[in-house]
Amino acid sequence: MKKNKIILTILAIIGLTVSCNEDSLELTNPNELSPDTFLQNQTQVQSAVNAVYSNLQTRGLYSRHMFFMMDNMAHENGGNPQLEADKRQYLDFSFDASHGAIGAYWESCYRGINKANFVVENSDKINAILPSVMSDDLKQKAIGEAKFLRALFYFLIVTRYGDAPLITTLPPDDGVGLPKNTSSEIYAQIIKDLQEAIPVLLAKGDEENGRATKGAAQALLGKVYLFLKQYDEALVQFNALSGYELEDNYFDNFMEETEHGVESIFEIEYDDDFGTSAQWNSDRSGQGPNEATFRGQEYGFNDWFNVFPSDDLLNEYEPNDIRFEQTFYINGDTFGPGGSLVVDHFPSNGGGNAGWSKYCNYYKDANEDQTSGINFKYLRYADVLLMMAECESMRTGGSQDVAIGYINQVRERAGLDDLATGMSKDQVFDALVHERKVELAGEQSRFNDIIRWGIATTELAGTNFQAGKHELLPIPQGEIDSNINISSADQNSGY
């Protein structure tokens, strides 16, 4: 069992209703607590905060659909014949507003937002708890965690849907849904939440594994500024990070036994020892034990093997890049207990020439199952170094040589020669595109990267990607049908 790890779903006793048009706050509590009698002590406050984290574990997000959505749209994957239709639609961009998993993504985020709103909206009630029952620092930290998570959920929303409802209070009693806000308004709220969270969150070394830390809020705020092309502001946040460095061994980022290492900034938590009975039922609610992800079983070459790494991705790696052998399996590699088994699966029946190693349990097991406990790295220091390189290269008066230095730190860990100084800005950009592609493969990063860089049409040529449409997902039809303030006229372009 993993030690000192936040238990999310077991303690998550607040179950908030979903979406923008729900009319009530529902408490799922065996002691029959009501909103009026809840939040009276530290245990109750922490349970309410834990409930917010649990919505990252839904099948609509990281337990299942999120990795298919992002990896397939980026064409880091190809699909074997058995790949289900709703997941194949990400590969050929044939999804529409009725797509169930796109609706689950939206709803999972808004349920998480509503749970965060419950905590923040009750700040006065939390602050009224006697210091002898809960310290003032812990009260502020709990509220800060909720604001960090609200910011993260809204970042997941705004990057995939653009304009969307911005809800920072509990749903109205009349159940009337809210209209869309601009993406600029959503980004402003994300920045505000993170700025308020940073001063009250703890440093990584002082916090329980799995909780939002000061460093996580700083790194996410830097990432948000980068997406907004506010490069100097982003660098302020990245430079404020302290106590992080690259793992000596790249693969330590993707094993269960080495989670929360020196490179880790924020992880999506899983631990199947804590329960998985709600795994197939937790599509979007976040309620019940859902402490496992399907990632290993879905991608595993010796199991369901629904997808395989695309040739485009495999061909991106330079000779002698050690990340290749730590990210993929090819014929002749060994796996399983003690490396006792030999890979002989390729090419697969879908044409794949390799299988995924990253986030798979084959480093210790012969087979995957549906209950992988390997955490997802949402933010790690290698990502930050590459974002710092981008900011330095792109900012007014930036130094290309300084940017190259950040990239070289990542390359050195990969066993590659340093890039030479004296490169042009365009050359540094090309190096960044390459380095992020191979360093962060299979980590749900590339699609957002190529969209924000404006190169998706080139990178996804021949995939049915349509510029002006597929940069965003469609607003789910269920939201349009149930929210009187969002109509078909508000649908994203092209859908």
Side-chain angles (χ1 to χ4, degrees), residues 1 12 23 28-29 68 81 121 125 134 228 249 264 297 323 334-335 340 378 413 420 430-431 446 448 457 474 482:
M1 181 180 292
D23 59 0
T28 303
N29 180 12
F68 276 118
E121 185 93 335
K125 190 173 184 179
M134 185 177 188
L228 294 173
N249 177 26
S264 173
Q297 181 85 308
R323 290 170 297 193
T334 59
F335 71 103
S340 57
Y378 180 74
R413 199 254 304 267
D430 290 342
R446 180 162 171 76
N448 280 340
T457 303
S482 61

Side-chain angles (χ1 to χ4, degrees), residues 55 83 87 115 150 171 191 197 201 213 233 254 287-288 301 346 357 476:
N55 262 71
L83 180 65
K87 300 167 185 66
K115 293 176 183 180
R150 183 167 68 181
I191 291 169
L201 295 177
T213 63
E233 292 87 344
F254 312 109
Q287 294 181 355
F301 70 89
F346 309 112
S357 170

Side-chain angles (χ1 to χ4, degrees), residues 109 119 196 206 244 251 270 312 341 359 407 412 433 437 452 460 469:
C109 289
V119 176
E196 292 175 358
D206 298 325
Y244 301 98
F251 196 67
Y270 290 99
D312 174 72
L341 303 173
Y359 288 131
I407 298 173
E412 287 164 6
V433 172
K437 185 173 182 178
R452 66 187 178 84
L460 297 175
K469 177 180 179 179

Side-chain angles (χ1 to χ4, degrees), residues 314-322 324 411 414-417 434:
L314 298 175
N315 293 336
E316 186 72 21
Y317 287 77
E318 299 167 61
N320 302 317
D321 187 334
I322 65 174
F324 184 93
R411 289 177 60 83
L416 297 173
D417 293 337
H434 163 77

Side-chain angles (χ1 to χ4, degrees), residues 42-100:
Q42 182 174 329
T43 298
Q44 292 175 354
V45 171
Q46 198 58 73
S47 294
V49 174
N50 288 354
V52 191
Y53 285 95
S54 70
N55 262 71
L56 294 168
Q57 298 174 320
T58 65
R59 283 194 296 127
L61 290 179
Y62 283 92
S63 285
R64 196 175 194 211
H65 294 296
M66 171 77 157
F67 49 80
F68 276 118
M69 174 190 291
M70 301 305 290
D71 295 347
N72 286 10
M73 288 197 300
H75 274 251
E76 294 183 311
N77 282 334
N80 277 317
Q82 69 271 21
L83 180 65
E84 295 170 317
D86 64 337
K87 300 167 185 66
R88 189 173 297 279
Q89 287 169 350
Y90 297 129
L91 290 170
D92 60 17
F93 294 94
S94 61
F95 48 78
D96 59 24
S98 67
H99 193 282

Side-chain angles (χ1 to χ4, degrees), residues 313-355:
L313 178 59
L314 298 175
N315 293 336
E316 186 72 21
Y317 287 77
E318 299 167 61
N320 302 317
D321 187 334
I322 65 174
R323 290 170 297 193
F324 184 93
E325 65 184 38
Q326 295 180 339
T327 304
F328 312 112
Y329 285 107
I330 60 174
N331 285 343
D333 288 344
T334 59
F335 71 103
S340 57
L341 303 173
V342 179
V343 177
D344 62 354
H345 287 59
F346 309 112
S348 71
N349 60 355
N353 293 304

Side-chain angles (χ1 to χ4, degrees), residues 33 102 116 229 269 351 395 419:
L33 292 167
I102 290 175
K229 296 181 169 56
E269 298 292 309
R395 74 182 183 91
L419 300 175

Side-chain angles (χ1 to χ4, degrees), residues 197-402:
I198 288 169
V200 298
L201 295 177
L202 299 180
K204 179 179 178 179
D206 298 325
E207 183 55 280
E208 181 182 12
N209 283 343
R211 296 198 180 279
T213 63
K214 184 183 300 291
Q218 290 167 328
L220 180 55
L221 182 54
K223 183 174 183 176
V224 169
Y225 280 135
L226 171 62
F227 273 55
L228 294 173
K229 296 181 169 56
Q230 298 178 24
Y231 303 118
D232 289 314
E233 292 87 344
L235 280 173
V236 168
Q237 299 304 319
F238 294 142
N239 283 321
L241 290 171
S242 176
Y244 301 98
E245 58 187 69
L246 297 178
E247 296 278 3
D248 291 335
N249 177 26
Y250 177 73
F251 196 67
D252 281 351
N253 287 299
F254 312 109
M255 295 191 296
E256 191 170 12
E257 295 80 3
T258 49
E259 292 166 352
H260 300 292
V262 295
E263 190 168 338
S264 173
I265 299 176
F266 187 71
E267 304 187 10
I268 311 301
E269 298 292 309
Y270 290 99
D271 189 337
D272 53 353
D273 287 336
F274 290 146
T276 61
S277 60
Q279 188 178 19
W280 281 105
N281 300 323
S282 186
D283 198 42
R284 53 198 77 190
S285 72
Q287 294 181 355
N290 188 27
E291 289 284 346
T293 168
F294 290 91
R295 169 62 169 74
Q297 181 85 308
E298 297 277 12
Y299 281 33
F301 70 89
N302 208 33
D303 293 278
W304 287 357
F305 196 28
N306 288 320
V307 293
F308 52 83
S310 68
D311 285 345
D312 174 72
L313 178 59
L314 298 175
N315 293 336
E316 186 72 21
Y317 287 77
E318 299 167 61
N320 302 317
D321 187 334
I322 65 174
R323 290 170 297 193
F324 184 93
E325 65 184 38
Q326 295 180 339
T327 304
F328 312 112
Y329 285 107
I330 60 174
N331 285 343
D333 288 344
T334 59
F335 71 103
S340 57
L341 303 173
V342 179
V343 177
D344 62 354
H345 287 59
F346 309 112
S348 71
N349 60 355
N353 293 304
W356 285 97
S357 170
K358 183 182 286 188
Y359 288 131
C360 288
N361 287 285
Y362 294 134
Y363 67 92
K364 59 181 177 181
D365 296 329
N367 291 97
E368 295 282 351
D369 58 33
Q370 298 177 29
T371 57
S372 174
I374 300 176
N375 291 353
F376 282 88
K377 296 291 192 299
Y378 180 74
L379 284 166
R380 57 186 180 90
Y381 191 58
D383 186 5
V384 167
L385 286 171
L386 295 176
M387 289 192 287
M388 291 177 74
E390 184 174 346
C391 290
E392 183 62 34
S393 175
M394 295 295 183
R395 74 182 183 91
T396 301
S399 167
Q400 302 307 316
D401 285 350
V402 170

